[in-house]
Amino acid sequence: MSYLWYIDIGVAIVQGVIVILLFRNYVGIGFTRLGKILLSASAILLVESVLMSVIYYLWMSWGLGVEVAIPTLLITALNLVVISLLYAISRL
């Protein structure tokens, strides 16, 4: 059962790395109005990724089971897909 929590944490960390790359793509336009909005959104997503990793670790240490790990894994995986799409769009 605990392997699901490790997968959750791993996906959240991968999401954080992609958000850092996304943030790097927006630094060049950071002084424009749109750039400030995109950098702010990236910063919020980065904080979310870090908090998700910490919260998942806490939940794992509390012994929460599959009934929590599976839904959070689905949500985190969907979040990873969306952030990956944002990163792909930022590269255009």
Side-chain angles (χ1 to χ4, degrees):
M1 173 192 59
S2 66
Y3 70 91
L4 288 173
W5 286 115
Y6 289 117
I7 293 171
D8 263 334
I9 293 168
V11 171
I13 290 171
V14 168
Q15 176 183 327
V17 170
I18 292 173
V19 171
I20 290 170
L21 295 173
L22 186 68
F23 193 83
R24 188 190 65 178
N25 287 345
Y26 292 144
V27 168
I29 61 169
F31 295 108
T32 65
R33 183 172 183 233
L34 178 63
K36 289 177 184 177
I37 293 169
L38 292 172
L39 284 173
S40 297
S42 296
I44 291 168
L45 290 171
L46 184 60
V47 169
E48 176 207 11
S49 298
V50 170
L51 286 176
M52 284 172 34
S53 299
V54 171
I55 289 170
Y56 292 162
Y57 179 77
L58 287 174
W59 287 351
M60 179 180 68
S61 67
W62 292 345
L64 294 179
V66 176
E67 61 276 354
V68 178
I70 290 176
T72 57
L73 181 58
L74 293 175
I75 292 168
T76 307
L78 181 61
N79 205 7
L80 178 64
V81 168
V82 170
I83 289 176
S84 297
L85 288 173
L86 285 174
Y87 177 71
I89 291 169
S90 77
R91 303 264 309 154
L92 297 177

